[in-house]
C-alpha cells in the first residue's frame, strides 16, 4: 500500500550540514517528497510533537534538543513507506543501527540521531498534519 510518513531532519543534521546528504539518500530510496519546509520548534511545539514520550527520563533532553536549532520536516510518500523509511534510517540508537543506515552512518548518540520517522501509517498521517496543511502537500510535480 502507498503510505505517507513524516521525516524530520533534526537540528544535529541541519547544524552539521548533513541535510543534503540525508535528503539524497531519501530520494535515492524512492520516496516522493510531497512537502518540505524549515522550522524552528519551541519547547511547546517540540513537546507537543513528542507528547507520547512525556514523563520518560529522556523527554526534557529530547525537547531541548529538538528546539535547539532548525529542523526540516518532510512529508514523504512511497509504497510501504512507513516501514521502508524506518529501515532506511535504522534503529533509534546508532550503535544498534544496521550498517549503511542513515543513523548508523551519521548519528552521534541515541538522543542526537539525525532523523525522525513515523512508526505507523496512522501516526504518519497525524504527524504530517502537525507540520503541513493539506494544500502544502503537492502530489503531481
Ligand atoms: P524513534 O525516533 O526511533 O522512533 P522513539 O523511541 O520514538 O525513537 O524516541 C523518540 C526520540 O527520542 C528518539 O529518536 C531519540 O531522539 C530520543 N530518545 C529515545 N530514547 C532515548 C534514550 O533512551 N535516550 C536519549 N534519547 C532517546
Ligand atoms: Mg518514534
Amino acid at each position: 500500500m502507498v503510505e505517507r510518513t513524516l521525516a524530520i531532519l533534526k537540528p544535529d543534521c541541519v547544524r552539521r550540514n548533513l541535510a543534503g546528504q540525508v535528503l539524497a539518500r531519501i530520494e535515492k530510496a524512492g520516496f516522493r517528497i510531497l512537502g518540505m519546509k524549515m522550522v524552528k520548534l519551541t519547547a511547546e511545539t517540540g513537546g507537543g510533537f513528542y507528547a507520547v514520550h512525556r514523563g520518560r527520563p529522556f523527554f526534557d533532553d529530547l525537547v531541548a534538543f529538538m528546539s535547539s536549532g532548525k529542523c526540516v520536516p518532510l512529508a514523504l510518500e512511497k509504497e510501504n513507506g512507513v516501514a521502508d523509511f524506518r529501515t532506511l534510517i535504522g534503529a533509534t540508537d546508532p550503535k544498534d543501527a544496521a550498517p549503511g543506515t542513515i543513523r548508523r552512518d551519521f548519528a552521534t548518540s541515541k538522543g542526537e540521531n539525525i532523523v525522525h520517522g513515523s512508526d505507523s501509517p496512522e501516526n504518519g498521517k497525524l504527524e504530517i498534519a502537525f507540520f503541513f496543511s493539506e494544500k502544502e502537500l503537492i502530489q503531481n510535480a
Side-chain angles (χ1 to χ4, degrees), residues 10 50 53 56 58 62 65 86 90-92 103 110-113 115-117 119:
K10 295 184 178 186
Y50 278 118
H53 293 305
R56 305 278 288 277
F58 58 85
L62 174 61
F65 165 57
R86 300 285 305 197
T92 309
R103 283 168 165 172
K110 191 173 184 182
E112 304 211 358
N113 62 0
V115 64
H116 168 82
D119 63 6

Side-chain angles (χ1 to χ4, degrees), residues 50-68:
Y50 278 118
V52 66
H53 293 305
R54 200 177 293 277
R56 305 278 288 277
F58 58 85
F59 180 76
D60 288 352
D61 285 348
L62 174 61
V63 171
F65 165 57
M66 289 301 291
S67 57
S68 70

Side-chain angles (χ1 to χ4, degrees), residues 14-85:
V14 177
R15 201 157 33 230
R16 292 170 58 207
N17 296 324
L18 295 170
Q21 285 184 68
V22 173
L23 198 54
R25 291 197 185 198
I26 294 170
E27 289 179 321
K28 215 169 285 178
F31 290 87
R32 292 183 290 283
I33 302 170
L34 305 184
M36 173 160 64
K37 59 174 68 169
M38 185 170 269
V39 302
K40 176 85 156 57
L41 294 172
T42 63
E44 287 69 35
T45 54
F49 180 77
Y50 278 118
V52 66
H53 293 305
R54 200 177 293 277
R56 305 278 288 277
F58 58 85
F59 180 76
D60 288 352
D61 285 348
L62 174 61
V63 171
F65 165 57
M66 289 301 291
S67 57
S68 70
K70 293 180 277 190
C71 287
V72 178
L74 303 161
L76 303 175
E77 187 175 77
K78 184 184 176 299
E79 180 70 28
N80 201 42
V82 170
D84 283 2
F85 193 74

